[in-house]
RNA sequence: GGGCCCGUAGCUCAAUCGGAUAGAGCAUCAGCCUUCUAAGCUGAGGGUUGCUGGUUCGAUUCCAGCCGGGCCUACCA
């Protein structure tokens, strides 16, 4: 409702400016006045025009207000302040539109940036090394990614969700080293551990940390990693078999953990197939043919195939030609002929855009309770499979520490001449989750004096330092269960468990989404386990209360929406203005979804959900609906509750938060 | 050394391409449960938006410099 009217207003203003002043404004700024009593939209454009038209802002505003033909659904325009133009909607018409069409209805995408594509969109997230349990940092990644997927789907985009698995790297090798050198376990013995251990990823978590210590104790122990890495790449040996076993089992655990949060994947491409299907060879050929890579013949990178760094601005050395090798160039292929991580990533991204000329094999791997299948890459896959790759746009949800290599891949695409694809490649970058020193000490970690003064300490899987995802979720579920048990002893155990789970997930997902991406989350149990204030459960509770009204009334929200309500009458007075503000906020859902997509910032949705819940709680407290004597007004209040309930549920749904039946 | 990010209330965070009186939550204090559930509501206190300049009708936002903090910057993966 809000978005449609805003767009109509913008179009009308743009057309008017073109005709009247021969001005072409690319984007007309429209915001909201400080108070809804001043109208629904505010245009500060007279200030901008003042200089160009050599007139006072207020004068321009008056001219526009007098002459602009109002779009349908608008009441009037007014000049306010020093020259703002405020627009008023016809509240009753807007309300009726909202009653009929949810504000979450699909929108079109004209000029919406990277998501302005007609084809399929690929979102890659999670991508945890399959050698240890997932921790809170991985949770932020997966929740951001999954929410973005839901946002895109809400807006009508077809989306494939991928989770990249680096199953041949040093991290998996380290755990294999742990089994072979520290624990002296054979493959069957490891299989025994797996069979007897529900959370094998936890076992690996500890082992991985021990291996890291072992390396530190004696640098010569690092030899074991190299040997193991080599063996894994070679294949057909026990080390490689162990690596495969460990990575597959840990991967399955990750999928189970994420499944607890309602996060699903369509495809799991693995590095092992990128190697064995020789993706790099095809990419290398293209890169050489187009001169993106060149063979360095001098300096420290002699014998390597390198690429000039995208961000590297050559220092201004007074116009002199720099001589000698570009030491700052990025090494893609080492002098011993092996390709680095970035090279493989370039090949992988050529595949994503359908530019590689090769494809994975595909095998079914994991079935979700709702029958949805996650597929995994394979050397030789099943004959029948869905088609992945060849997409129009990609979003890689990867933390900000990876922005350098990400930019290198984008630059490689651009240099290869794939400028369109490079423009539709988005590094969805976010900051890490760290622990507060207090939290670290609570968990029993030794915190160095120098770290105690810091506001946060970086999580490290290598050191086994962090909060495991399943542990956090368990703690949240237990905390929620205590509350639910005491509030609803009349419900059976199974239902209480389901509700506790919904609340825990709501709390966790909201917590991870309420921070903007560039903010480091300093994790603290006290805040993460909160169910009051700006939290997921607070928003869920608002919906539950709205639902209770209808339950008590013995009617359905749908009836309240279909009822014949005299909106014009009840919106007219002062109390009506207050309630109108709530409707307006509820009508902003599609606007918020679009904003989240355009800025790759899901936090807007979280903030919006909270605001809507807050205003509804206020409304709920102020108006006792079922006691309302005036039947017409009662219908009006019921419709309000129904609209807010529907929109708030939808926004929460986009965030992957479901609403319990009772709380 | 170079690149990216951050600095806003006691704490954790918002602030829609620069807009009207910088807003929330937590914590503290004072109120509200015979009412559709108190996981809620109302109120109070709490701010030189790190510092100094600049651009602008208008700066938390943009630019420059400084101060403080974080991350990245290997022929590792």
């Amino acid at each position: 409702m809000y978005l449609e009217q805003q767009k109509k207003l913008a179009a009308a203003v743009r057309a008017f400016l073109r005709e009247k002043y021969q001005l072409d404004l690319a984007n007309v700024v429209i915001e909201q006045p400080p108070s809804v009593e001043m109208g629904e939209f505010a245009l500060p454009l007279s200030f901008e025009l003042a200089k160009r038209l050599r007139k006072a802002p207020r004068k321009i505003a008056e001219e526009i207000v007098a002459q602009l033909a109002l779009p349908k659904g608008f009441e009037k325009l007014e000049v306010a302040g020093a020259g703002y133009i405020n627009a008023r909607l016809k509240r009753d018409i807007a309300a009726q539109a909202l009653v009929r069409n949810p504000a979450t209805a699909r929108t079109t995408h004209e000029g919406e940036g990277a998501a302005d594509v007609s084809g399929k969109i690929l979102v890659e997230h999670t991508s945890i090394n399959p050698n240890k349990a997932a921790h809170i940092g991985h949770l932020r990644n997966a929740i951001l990614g999954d929410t973005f997927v839901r946002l895109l789907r809400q807006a009508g985009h077809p989306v494939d969700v991928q989770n990249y698995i680096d199953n041949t790297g040093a991290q998996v090798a380290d755990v294999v080293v742990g089994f072979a050198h520290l624990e002296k376990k054979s493959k069957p013995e490891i299989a025994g551990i797996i069979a007897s251990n529900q959370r094998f990823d936890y076992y690996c978590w500890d082992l991985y940390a021990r291996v890291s210590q072992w390396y530190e104790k004696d640098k010569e122990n690092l030899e074991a990693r190299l040997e193991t890495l080599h063996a894994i790449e070679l294949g057909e040996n026990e080390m490689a078999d162990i690596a495969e076993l460990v990575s597959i089992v840990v991967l399955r655990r990750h999928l189970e953990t994420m499944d607890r949060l309602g996060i699903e994947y369509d495809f799991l491409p693995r590095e092992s197939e990128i190697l064995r299907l020789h993706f790099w060879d095809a990419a290398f050929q293209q890169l050489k043919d187009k001169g993106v890579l060149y063979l360095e013949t001098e300096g420290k990178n002699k014998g390597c195939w390198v690429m000039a760094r995208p961000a590297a601005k050559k220092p201004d050395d007074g116009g002199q030609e720099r001589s000698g090798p570009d030491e700052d160039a990025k090494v893609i292929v080492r002098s011993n002929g092996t390709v680095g991580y970035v090279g493989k990533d370039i090949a992988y991204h050529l595949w994503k855009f359908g530019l590689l000329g090769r494809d994975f094999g595909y095998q079914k791997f994991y079935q979700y309770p709702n029958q949805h299948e996650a597929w995994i890459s394979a050397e030789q896959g099943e004959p029948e499979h869905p088609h992945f790759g060849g997409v129009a746009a990609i979003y890689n949800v990867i933390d900000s520490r990876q922005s350098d290599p990400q930019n290198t891949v984008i630059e490689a695409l651009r240099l290869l001449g794939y400028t369109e694809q490079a423009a539709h490649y988005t590094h969805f970058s976010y900051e890490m989750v760290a622990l507060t020193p207090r939290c670290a000490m609570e968990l029993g970690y030794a915190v160095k004096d120098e770290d105690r003064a810091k506001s946060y300490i970086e999580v490290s899987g290598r050191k086994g330092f962090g909060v495991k995802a399943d542990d956090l979720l368990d703690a949240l579920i237990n905390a929620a269960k205590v509350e639910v048990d005491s509030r609803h002893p009349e419900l059976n155990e199974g239902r209480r468990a389901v509700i506790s789970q919904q609340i825990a997930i709501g709390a966790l997902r909201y917590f991870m989404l309420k921070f903007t991406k560039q903010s480091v989350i300093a994790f603290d149990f006290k805040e993460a386990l909160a169910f009051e204030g700006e939290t997921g459960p607070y928003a869920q509770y608002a919906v539950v209360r709205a639902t209770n009204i209808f339950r008590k009334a013995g009617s359905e929200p749908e009836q309240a929406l279909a009822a014949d309500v005299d909106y014009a009458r009840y919106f007219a007075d002062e109390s009506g203005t207050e309630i109108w503000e709530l409707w307006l906020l509820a009508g902003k859902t599609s606007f918020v979804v679009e904003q989240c997509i355009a800025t790759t910032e899901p936090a807007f949705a979280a903030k919006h959900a909270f605001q809507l819940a807050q205003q509804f709680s206020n409304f709920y407290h102020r108006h006792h609906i079922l006691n309302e004597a005036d039947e017409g007004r009662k219908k009006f209040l019921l419709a309000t509750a129904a609209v807010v309930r529907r929109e708030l549920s939808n926004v929460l749904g986009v965030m992957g938060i479901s609403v319990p039946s009772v709380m």
Side-chain angles (χ1 to χ4, degrees), chain A residues 560-593:
Chain A
L561 292 173
D564 187 22
V565 179
D566 188 353
Y567 288 108
R569 179 177 160 201
Y570 294 108
F571 276 134
D573 61 10
E574 205 178 308
S575 151
T577 296
E578 231 172 68
I579 296 172
W580 165 242
E581 202 172 353
L582 180 55
W583 280 74
L584 185 65
L585 193 61
K588 280 177 93 169
T589 320
S590 54
F591 171 79
V592 171
V593 168

Side-chain angles (χ1 to χ4, degrees), chain A residues 358-605:
Chain A
R358 298 196 184 185
D359 198 2
F360 291 104
Y362 300 91
Q363 260 176 11
K364 283 181 186 167
F365 182 72
Y366 189 93
Q367 193 179 48
Y368 293 97
N370 63 7
Q371 307 304 308
H372 176 236
E373 296 272 2
W375 292 71
I376 197 165
S377 62
E379 250 184 288
Q380 275 156 2
E382 300 172 21
E384 294 287 319
H385 62 81
H387 183 247
F388 298 106
V391 298
I394 65 176
Y395 289 88
N396 291 340
V397 183
I398 310 175
D399 76 62
S400 63
R401 287 171 289 196
Q402 298 284 329
S403 65
D404 238 41
Q406 284 290 299
N407 286 335
T408 306
V409 176
I410 295 175
E411 185 64 11
L413 287 177
R414 197 173 292 129
L415 292 174
L416 281 167
Y418 303 126
T419 50
E420 184 77 7
Q421 287 80 358
H424 288 120
Y425 182 130
T426 305
H427 172 203
F428 187 116
S429 169
Y430 65 94
E431 273 293 345
M432 62 185 173
V433 181
L435 301 186
T436 61
R438 196 185 74 181
C439 178
M441 287 187 277
E442 273 171 23
L443 287 164
Y445 293 105
V447 179
K448 285 181 247 159
D449 285 343
E450 60 192 271
D451 285 340
R452 283 181 202 219
K454 292 182 179 172
S455 54
Y456 54 81
I457 313 171
E458 192 173 354
V459 166
S460 166
R462 194 168 288 282
K463 293 178 185 152
F465 176 68
V467 176
K468 296 186 205 64
D470 282 309
D471 283 350
L472 176 58
L473 201 45
D474 291 344
L476 280 159
I477 291 171
N478 288 336
K481 186 76 178 359
V482 170
E483 283 296 318
V484 175
D485 284 348
S486 75
R487 285 163 197 251
H488 298 285
E490 79 283 3
L491 299 177
N492 68 40
E493 175 64 24
R495 283 204 53 201
R496 293 202 304 263
V498 169
I499 293 166
S500 305
Q501 216 165 52
Q502 284 176 298
I503 292 170
I505 293 166
L508 179 55
R509 295 192 64 131
Y510 190 91
F511 178 79
M512 288 295 177
L513 292 170
K514 77 176 188 181
F515 301 91
T516 53
K517 292 179 304 175
Q518 74 274 13
S519 158
V520 175
I521 298 181
F523 182 86
D524 196 282
F525 277 103
K526 187 169 151 281
E527 273 181 70
L529 291 172
F531 296 148
E532 290 168 17
E534 195 195 338
T535 65
Y538 174 91
Q540 291 171 314
Y541 188 58
V543 178
V544 168
R545 286 173 133 188
T547 306
N548 284 346
I549 297 170
F550 294 100
R551 197 198 344 261
K552 199 82 166 189
S555 66
E556 295 297 319
E558 289 70 29
Q559 291 172 258
L561 292 173
D564 187 22
V565 179
D566 188 353
Y567 288 108
R569 179 177 160 201
Y570 294 108
F571 276 134
D573 61 10
E574 205 178 308
S575 151
T577 296
E578 231 172 68
I579 296 172
W580 165 242
E581 202 172 353
L582 180 55
W583 280 74
L584 185 65
L585 193 61
K588 280 177 93 169
T589 320
S590 54
F591 171 79
V592 171
V593 168
E594 202 168 288
Q595 190 185 24
C596 289
I597 293 172
T599 56
T600 58
E601 181 52 273
F604 288 124

